[in-house]
Amino acid sequence: AQKVTQAQTEISVVEKEDVTLDCVYETRDTTYYLFWYKQPPSGELVFLIRRNSFDEQNEISGRYSWNFQKSTSSFNFTITASQVVDSAVYFCALSKYGGATNKLIFGTGTLLAVQP
Amino acid sequence: DVKVTQSSRYLVKRTGEKVFLECVQDMDHENMFWYRQDPGLGLRLIYFSYDVKMKEKGDIPEGYSVSREKKERFSLILESASTNQTSMYLCASSLRTGFSYEQYFGPGTRLTVT
């Protein structure tokens, strides 16, 4: 069965600190996609990144970076020099490759609070 | 930009009422989804649709039904609302081309059943 675990329920940091959000997944598929979404207090989930299982290169986008390691089934998300605007719930999700539909399996989310 | 809109941000209904939640997307996406979000449980898929009039059950379909008469619109129906259906409901849409594209979400409807 496919499963996504985000063990950190809540994280609180002070502005400018670096923070890493953990994501561990389980799947028997050899081909799959992983996603990160951000849900700010307004409620709408915002897509951040998609990574396929063949691409283990780390990704950096501004202050955001993602570390994908198949050996440990992890897809961790790091925010460098955090800002108050980063306060949100962050979800990691797993999807099955191909097919007519792309169902996502979400983790339970990590609430990040960045204090000024 | 993809735009997914939901008919209400907040809704209060009484037990036993029939409730309609509407979702509209403007990007000609084939796939549409309904999730509910509860604290500590993340997002759980209720129903999804990959084409007009086509629907499939998700992980928690009990107590819900859906309707997709037009490509851009996907409705979630609570036939007889119950208090355990108090939740945040999120609609999403995505392309369907054989690859696993990201889903785009609406702002959510917070439903309270009293």
Side-chain angles (χ1 to χ4, degrees):
Chain A
Q2 294 174 303
K3 185 180 178 183
V4 175
T5 301
Q6 293 180 259
Q8 303 152 309
T9 306
E10 293 185 34
I11 301 176
S12 183
V13 299
V14 176
E15 210 170 16
K16 297 184 184 175
E17 281 187 37
D18 298 347
V19 58
T20 295
L21 309 182
D22 297 332
C23 173
V24 174
Y25 62 92
E26 295 174 30
T27 181
R28 292 192 183 130
D29 296 334
T30 55
T31 306
Y32 48 89
Y33 281 83
L34 294 162
F35 301 78
W36 275 96
Y37 282 85
K38 174 183 180 180
Q39 185 180 39
S42 60
E44 184 171 332
L45 269 78
V46 176
F47 165 74
L48 295 178
I49 189 171
R50 176 184 63 180
R51 173 68 69 205
N52 76 53
S53 53
F54 294 125
D55 185 359
E56 285 195 74
Q57 282 193 338
N58 289 337
E59 176 101 6
I60 298 174
S61 177
R63 296 184 297 105
Y64 294 171
S65 63
W66 291 269
N67 182 1
F68 175 34
Q69 291 194 341
K70 274 178 99 166
S71 59
T72 56
S73 297
S74 65
F75 186 42
N76 296 338
F77 173 30
T78 298
I79 301 174
T80 303
S82 59
Q83 299 176 4
V84 172
V85 293
D86 295 326
S87 297
V89 180
Y90 290 87
F91 290 96
C92 181
L94 169 69
S95 177
K96 193 167 185 173
Y97 177 81
T101 56
N102 55 334
K103 289 189 284 183
L104 293 178
I105 296 156
F106 285 86
T108 51
T110 297
L111 173 61
L112 174 64
V114 181
Q115 311 295 336
Chain B
D1 275 354
V2 177
K3 190 75 173 175
V4 180
T5 56
Q6 296 183 227
S7 49
S8 307
R9 290 301 303 268
Y10 300 93
L11 209 52
V12 180
K13 295 292 182 181
R14 294 188 182 274
T15 302
E17 278 193 80
K18 190 169 186 176
V19 181
F20 292 87
L21 302 182
E22 304 285 339
C23 175
V24 178
Q25 51 94 5
D26 66 359
M27 283 302 291
D28 204 35
H29 283 171
E30 294 87 357
N31 291 343
M32 295 189 76
F33 307 83
W34 275 107
Y35 294 89
R36 63 176 283 175
Q37 181 180 4
D38 301 288
L41 297 177
L43 276 74
R44 294 178 292 167
L45 182 64
I46 304 171
Y47 267 96
F48 64 97
S49 169
Y50 51 89
D51 205 343
V52 176
K53 297 191 187 294
M54 305 304 288
K55 61 186 178 186
E56 282 195 27
K57 294 179 180 178
D59 300 317
I60 52 165
E62 295 78 20
Y64 304 94
S65 62
V66 291
S67 172
R68 192 160 180 207
E69 297 296 320
K70 294 185 177 181
K71 190 175 185 180
E72 68 271 17
R73 188 179 297 268
F74 191 35
S75 302
L76 179 69
I77 304 156
L78 287 65
E79 294 289 343
S80 177
S82 64
T83 54
N84 63 12
Q85 293 179 309
T86 292
S87 185
M88 169 73 96
Y89 289 88
L90 293 162
C91 175
S93 73
S94 75
L95 290 168
R96 175 175 68 99
T97 61
F99 290 92
S100 193
Y101 281 99
E102 59 270 22
Q103 295 179 15
Y104 294 88
F105 284 81
T109 296
R110 188 166 294 281
L111 173 67
T112 301
V113 182
T114 61

